[in-house]
Amino acid sequence: MTVALLHVGTGRTVVTAQGLRRWALVLGVALLLAAIPVAINLWPVHAKALDRISFSSSQPYSGYVQSAGLLGLPALPNLTQVTAPLSGTTEMRTWYASPRSWRVDVLGEGTERDLYQTPEAQYSWDFGDNQLIRIEGDQPVRLPRAADLTPPELVRWLLSAAEGDKVTGLAAKRVAGVDAPGLRLTPASPDTTVAHVDIWADPRHGLPLQAEITAKGGTRPVFVTRFLEIHFAAPGAAVLTPPAPRAGIGYTVTEAPDILGVINRRRPVSLPSSLAGYPRRDAVRGLSAAGVYGTGLSSFVVTALPGRFGAAAFGQISTYGQDVPAPSGSQAALIATGLLNLLVVRDPGRTYLVAGPVAPTLLERVATALAEAQT
Amino acid sequence: MIRVELAKLFRRPRTYVIAGLLCALPLIVAIFLATTRIPPPPGQGGAFLSAVLSNGALYPAAAMALVLPVFLPVSVAVLAGDAVAGEASAGTLRYLLVRPVGRSRLLVAKLISLVVFVLFAISAVLVTSYLTGITLFGASTSSAGVALPPDVTSLSGVTISPAGLVLRLLGTVAYIVISMVGVAAIALFLSTVTDSALGAAMGALAVLVTSQVLVTLDAAQAIRPYLPTRYWLAWIDFFREPVLWRDIERGAGIQLVYLVVLLGAAWANFLTKDVAN
Amino acid sequence: MIRTKDLTKRYGRTTAVDGVDLEVREGDRYGLLGPNGSGKTTLVRMLLGLVFATRGEIEVLGRPVPRRVREVLPSIGALVEGPGAYPNLSGRTNLAVFDAAGPGGRRRDRRARIDQALERVGLGGIDRRPVKAYSLGMRQRLGLAAALLRPPRLLILDEPTNGLDPRGIREVRDLLAELNRDGVTVFLSSHLLSEIDAFCSRVGVMDRGRLVVQDDLDDLRVPTGRVTLGTPTPERAVALLDGRVEHRAGEILTVRHDDPGALNAELVAAGVTVTAIAAERRTLEEVVLAATTGSSDRVERVEAA
């Protein structure tokens, strides 16, 4: 109303009533327009309780995904594409026809990074680098990437080994226009940092639409991924066809698209078969630079890093993190984000990077175990 | 009245000065890029700037990205701020009103002439930057060395045909016009509040700068979708394959809301305002 | 033509126009006289629907203002507080812009009307120079031309001779007289007494927002009870009129007397040669001084009580 009195303030005139009527009309329209999003939010949600989430990967879909992480990881060299989605907001478009045919675009302002899965190979396109990469063969070990953070992919990974964890029902929620019933998964393991994972899924297809991870000791979720738009129709073939290599854009063919793959191929290292009481779980053929220990939400990944890269990673982590006691001759540092914790162990011979949603106390035990395994 | 406003617009030298300045910025950038051939690192600098070195036909899009964040809104705010306040302080407003020109009609005519100005300025930038791009960076050439109609790489890596490029540029122009209409509505409202054209322009710019700051602030996430500048860069989504309509639709919607509310506010304020200075 | 009732305009705490009952009749040459700041311009703006009254009613050409002001404005030519023009356009283009802006005013005869209006105000030979190169007088004439573009029934002119030289003032006065003869009602406001005196048939006097006098000029100029006479032998006249002479300046005497005819007869009978004789009337200045309380631009010290 202060605005309405701008010139009425100079005194009432014969047209003041007219002016106030006009202002009332404008304010009414403004309020009406402002009320639309509020009304949509407050519209009651009706959905039956969800008793299961389908792991079926046969349901095609396409949509727009937004993930938001509050982990606050520092930018680690060569790993920004891993840390950025966990510490900020990532917007993605996704088209999914089948496990062997899908596409995820990571949208940036004025740029785009796309990942295509075709029956023959994977293709990654980076507009900023003007580079198309054809990735051939399996990737036994690879870094997590933004495409892993869409609700269906994340939930599939979170639930893949969640036996014994407690599942309770949650109030339904409207996600991307779908009235979605919810589930809460509370891990049983004491070593995980995850307090609970909340999942909302489409009641007809069982497709996860939203997932929220809340860390122990926190009230708000530290990582949220959700669909802002979802369509259950099968995407067209044109959308799933990667760009063709041509003059003017860079084109490479590789079997190891990221640093982990490169390390894995160049420097096979034997890792202990068990660490701090957790057995090595991954069944990668032969020697590997990376191993997964533990199950479900209390699993962690150990990677052996080669010399120069290892030194850089250690420098970075010890700058941002805190030192951890380690047997003499070794150094260890830890970055605790509440959910995902990073440990780096360095001894004269080798640098290990350990990451996982596990408690710092467990990681300290892992640091000791790794240092002792070396000596 | 609309014809009169257009005549006034195109008879004022400042219209051409502003359009010229808008065209000059991409030209200067292009000259530096063409002489040094140092592209900005991907993801930094203006959108598309790193891509234009390989294909000059994309330069109009890069030019849009250069003028849109600051230069274009500033000139629209200055012109719109002057629209009513300038006439009031020049003493011509009262003569228009006793002619008589209806006050609502005057507001609408002012807004339409601003839209025409934006169209004119953007078209000028598009044409000059296309010529600049083709001249300085060249179009892509075929293996036989024959100059092809420019094939442009979309953000998604797929090529855009010349016809598709024209359509996408038209969409871009339309979207930028809609975005600037929101700016014009803010400044036009303030122009009816104060008799100082500069004050109205400054007020509108203050709103835009505040909005730009809040857009980048995570703490202001709750109100972000309603900020006038939130979707300003959504026209870039025209250059994705397939076109990403989500932000474009939202951006156009929010600008229409600002237009309706602020034009309404200007109307409510101006129709019962004393014209005395 | 114009009638207001209890018209009042307040800006915050100051009252610019205070309870004015204006009446302008068809065919009048109405002069609104008052110093700067007496509320003339605010009054004129209210008549044209530019400023909205705090209280009171306005009727112009039989229509209520501001409610139906748009119906009457096409019949009104107006000049409000100095001319307004787009400085970068030529005078001719300015007129074309203003003509095209409003309703009516056919496009076909626009050029002819503009030429005619320019001719009338003495700008017939104007070139393509932009208005910013004009003198104040030329701008004033241009403003008048704009008011005359469509033949008006009513002219509302605020300080129309501002910036004009004496010859220009005379030309404008003649033009207005000519228009008035053709049936146009002229309402003009001025702070110059001489201008009103020379042109108007009806006068209103504004003082600090109030209309303190409103009457026909002839009715205001009542005889003062004095007679001015000229004689080559003033001494004899003084001796004869003994004590009735109030003032003597060379051969002009001012005599207290009601009837110039009787006085003339008396003097001639006594053998005094009379070269001129006339009843003295109140000047407009005296009317104004009698009606107003003080100069509006004086700032008096208010003694604390």
Side-chain angles (χ1 to χ4, degrees):
Chain A
M1 283 315 280
T2 50
V3 180
L5 296 172
L6 275 176
H7 66 82
V8 177
T10 62
R12 275 190 84 81
T13 70
V14 290
V15 290
T16 301
Q18 218 180 80
L20 287 176
R21 273 202 302 279
R22 290 203 180 95
W23 273 111
L25 178 66
V26 171
L27 284 177
V29 169
L31 284 177
L32 190 72
L33 290 170
I36 292 173
V38 177
I40 290 174
N41 273 342
L42 292 180
W43 203 260
V45 180
H46 298 288
K48 281 184 295 189
L50 193 73
D51 52 352
R52 70 178 180 96
I53 288 181
S54 138
F55 296 111
S56 149
S57 48
S58 62
Q59 172 60 42
Y61 60 87
S62 62
Y64 189 92
V65 176
Q66 187 186 55
S67 78
L70 298 171
L71 267 57
L73 284 171
L76 298 174
N78 293 315
L79 291 175
T80 47
Q81 292 198 8
V82 181
T83 55
L86 300 177
S87 347
T89 302
T90 309
E91 316 237 311
M92 286 170 275
R93 283 203 286 184
T94 171
W95 293 266
Y96 184 91
S98 73
R100 299 188 64 74
S101 180
W102 48 260
R103 165 181 171 189
V104 176
D105 294 358
V106 178
L107 308 171
E109 213 150 78
T111 183
E112 194 171 306
R113 279 184 292 110
D114 303 352
L115 190 65
Y116 293 81
Q117 173 75 57
T118 67
E120 296 80 38
Q122 262 184 9
Y123 290 85
S124 103
W125 158 254
D126 189 323
F127 178 78
D129 296 341
N130 195 30
Q131 186 79 17
L132 180 70
I133 301 171
R134 181 184 157 104
I135 304 157
E136 292 180 331
D138 298 340
Q139 299 167 59
V141 279
R142 60 165 177 81
L143 290 173
R145 54 197 179 198
D148 297 330
L149 298 177
T150 65
E153 290 301 314
L154 184 70
V155 168
R156 198 169 293 148
W157 179 78
L158 286 173
L159 298 189
S160 57
E163 281 168 39
D165 296 345
K166 195 171 67 159
V167 177
T168 46
L170 267 185
K173 194 173 199 165
R174 182 170 296 106
V175 184
V178 176
D179 287 358
L183 279 182
R184 169 165 294 179
L185 181 83
T186 313
S189 162
D191 282 329
T192 180
T193 53
V194 176
H196 52 84
V197 178
D198 295 349
I199 297 158
W200 287 267
D202 171 61
R204 276 185 301 155
H205 311 95
L207 190 78
L209 298 179
Q210 173 159 357
E212 298 183 351
I213 303 175
T214 307
K216 280 179 178 157
T219 48
R220 286 201 303 165
V222 289
F223 187 82
V224 177
T225 177
R226 61 192 168 126
F227 277 103
L228 297 179
E229 265 172 35
I230 181 84
H231 310 280
F232 293 105
V239 161
L240 295 171
T241 310
R246 62 176 183 279
I249 63 174
Y251 179 63
T252 31
V253 180
T254 178
E255 286 182 32
D258 59 37
I259 187 78
L260 203 52
V262 173
I263 294 167
N264 186 45
R265 289 169 60 76
R266 284 213 199 123
R267 303 281 303 262
V269 179
S270 69
L271 289 169
S273 60
S274 126
L275 275 172
Y278 282 86
R280 189 165 160 196
R281 177 163 62 78
D282 60 324
V284 179
R285 295 143 294 175
L287 294 169
S288 163
V292 180
Y293 294 80
T295 54
L297 290 171
S298 53
S299 61
F300 54 91
V301 182
V302 179
T303 315
L305 302 175
R308 207 151 54 91
F309 180 63
F314 181 79
Q316 197 81 357
I317 288 176
S318 56
T319 308
Y320 289 103
Q322 72 228 38
D323 288 342
V324 168
S328 59
S330 302
Q331 291 171 285
L334 177 76
I335 293 184
T337 65
L339 181 68
L340 183 69
N341 294 326
L342 281 180
L343 170 79
V344 65
V345 180
R346 180 169 167 74
D347 59 40
R350 184 145 281 133
T351 308
Y352 294 99
L353 186 66
V354 184
V358 288
T361 49
L362 173 65
L363 285 182
E364 283 170 18
R365 298 209 308 273
V366 170
T368 315
L370 273 174
E372 281 167 356
Q374 201 55 40
T375 52
Chain B
M1 190 57 214
I2 288 157
R3 197 163 26 202
V4 170
E5 282 302 322
L6 293 182
K8 272 152 56 180
L9 174 71
F10 285 108
R11 280 171 180 272
R12 290 198 78 156
R14 68 167 185 197
T15 306
Y16 303 98
V17 172
I18 293 175
L21 287 174
L22 283 169
C23 295
L25 174 68
L27 184 65
I28 292 168
V29 172
I31 289 171
F32 275 105
L33 272 180
T35 44
T36 62
R37 298 242 149 212
I38 303 172
Q44 293 173 35
F48 301 111
L49 269 192
S50 47
V52 296
L53 282 180
S54 51
N55 190 345
L58 202 56
Y59 199 62
M64 288 293 109
L66 287 174
V67 299
L68 184 69
V70 181
F71 224 157
L72 193 58
V74 166
S75 41
V76 170
V78 166
L79 285 183
D82 186 59
V84 176
E87 296 251 12
S89 53
T92 44
L93 179 61
R94 52 180 186 261
Y95 287 103
L96 286 176
L97 294 183
V98 301
R99 189 87 306 242
V101 177
R103 295 188 181 202
S104 326
R105 266 169 69 95
L106 184 67
L107 283 179
V108 171
K110 290 286 182 193
L111 190 76
I112 290 177
S113 93
L114 286 166
V115 170
V116 171
F117 165 77
V118 175
L119 270 175
F120 169 72
I122 295 179
S123 314
V125 172
L126 281 182
V127 170
T128 55
S129 59
Y130 180 77
L131 296 177
T132 311
I134 293 294
T135 318
L136 293 180
F137 306 113
S140 55
T141 46
S142 76
S143 49
V146 185
L148 281 176
D151 261 353
V152 167
T153 305
S154 68
L155 288 178
S156 307
V158 182
T159 48
I160 305 174
S161 64
L165 180 66
V166 169
L167 278 180
R168 284 163 206 248
L169 282 175
L170 284 179
T172 301
V173 170
Y175 185 78
I176 290 176
V177 168
I178 291 174
S179 304
M180 290 303 115
V181 164
V183 179
I186 296 172
L188 195 58
F189 165 61
L190 293 175
S191 186
T192 67
V193 172
T194 170
D195 278 346
S196 154
L198 192 64
M202 284 301 294
L205 289 177
V207 171
L208 296 181
V209 170
T210 309
S211 166
Q212 292 277 45
V213 169
L214 291 182
V215 163
T216 57
L217 188 71
D218 278 339
Q221 188 129 34
I223 60 159
R224 187 182 294 173
Y226 311 110
L227 293 172
T229 62
R230 161 65 181 87
Y231 295 106
W232 263 11
L233 290 176
W235 60 270
I236 289 174
D237 295 346
F238 277 114
F239 296 90
R240 305 190 193 275
E241 180 62 47
V243 173
L244 174 58
W245 291 103
R246 184 188 160 78
D247 282 4
I248 294 172
E249 287 162 0
R250 277 169 174 65
I254 200 81
Q255 295 299 336
L256 285 181
V257 168
Y258 272 96
L259 174 67
V260 166
V261 171
L262 283 162
L263 195 63
W267 168 77
N269 184 51
F270 186 52
L271 257 69
T272 51
K273 190 195 171 171
D274 286 346
V275 176
N277 53 296
Chain C
M1 295 296 270
I2 304 174
R3 191 191 302 271
T4 72
K5 217 175 108 189
D6 191 26
L7 189 60
T8 303
K9 176 66 182 178
R10 272 197 285 272
Y11 289 109
R13 278 207 239 136
T14 54
T15 305
V17 174
D18 189 1
V20 167
D21 297 311
L22 192 71
E23 196 189 349
V24 180
R25 297 169 306 213
E26 177 133 32
D28 269 352
R29 301 171 172 192
Y30 192 103
L32 187 65
L33 181 64
N36 292 325
S38 61
K40 288 181 308 232
T41 299
T42 304
L43 180 58
V44 166
R45 282 174 183 268
M46 283 195 284
L47 297 180
L48 295 169
L50 293 172
V51 163
F52 300 101
T54 307
R55 190 177 71 226
E57 290 162 26
I58 308 173
E59 196 186 287
V60 177
L61 296 172
R63 300 286 202 298
V65 170
R67 200 143 47 84
R68 293 169 71 183
V69 72
R70 294 188 60 187
E71 295 170 31
V72 295
L73 282 174
S75 320
I76 300 178
L79 188 64
V80 194
E81 208 187 10
Y86 299 102
N88 58 309
L89 304 180
S90 74
R92 215 175 278 276
T93 317
N94 258 291
L95 293 186
V97 162
F98 282 119
D99 192 57
R106 285 187 312 279
R107 213 176 161 179
R108 255 188 308 157
D109 59 356
R110 181 172 298 152
R111 177 179 280 273
R113 280 184 292 122
I114 289 172
D115 284 342
Q116 196 189 1
L118 285 171
E119 194 67 52
R120 283 192 109 157
V121 299
L123 291 176
I126 205 160
D127 51 21
R128 299 173 57 109
R129 270 187 305 162
V131 168
K132 62 185 165 206
Y134 284 19
S135 67
L136 183 56
M138 286 170 79
R139 290 182 200 205
Q140 195 72 27
R141 285 172 191 255
L142 186 65
L144 264 176
L148 298 176
L149 263 181
R150 322 254 180 93
R153 280 176 64 198
L154 171 64
L155 273 175
I156 297 182
L157 307 173
D158 191 13
E159 307 277 0
T161 54
N162 210 4
L164 293 177
D165 53 21
R167 180 172 293 277
I169 292 176
R170 182 57 191 266
E171 283 175 25
V172 168
R173 191 187 301 153
D174 290 346
L175 169 64
L176 295 181
E178 186 193 323
L179 288 162
N180 183 250
R181 270 198 302 280
D182 297 344
V184 178
T185 308
V186 179
F187 175 92
L188 66 86
S189 81
S190 178
H191 66 284
L192 297 175
L193 198 138
S194 58
E195 198 174 304
I196 306 272
D197 208 6
F199 176 73
C200 294
S201 60
R202 193 170 156 79
V203 181
V205 178
M206 295 279 292
D207 178 40
R208 302 178 182 201
R210 289 192 314 278
L211 187 67
V212 288
V213 171
Q214 175 171 256
D215 213 336
D216 285 348
L217 199 54
D218 290 339
D219 294 345
L220 289 171
R221 286 187 181 143
V222 289
T224 55
R226 283 188 288 265
V227 173
T228 325
L229 70 92
T231 170
T233 53
E235 292 81 8
R236 288 189 57 193
V238 170
L240 183 74
L241 295 172
D242 182 35
R244 280 185 285 170
V245 176
E246 290 203 334
H247 184 71
R248 178 183 160 182
E251 297 186 350
I252 309 290
L253 301 179
T254 305
V255 183
R256 205 173 340 110
H257 198 286
D258 287 334
D259 186 352
L263 179 64
N264 189 33
E266 190 183 338
L267 287 167
V268 171
V272 178
T273 311
V274 177
T275 54
I277 187 159
E280 192 196 66
R281 288 176 171 273
R282 278 174 85 193
T283 61
L284 185 55
E285 183 175 353
E286 285 163 340
V287 173
V288 170
L289 287 177
T292 56
T293 47
S295 180
S296 67
D297 42 13
R298 274 182 73 124
V299 181
E300 304 280 356
R301 186 188 300 278
V302 181
E303 298 294 341

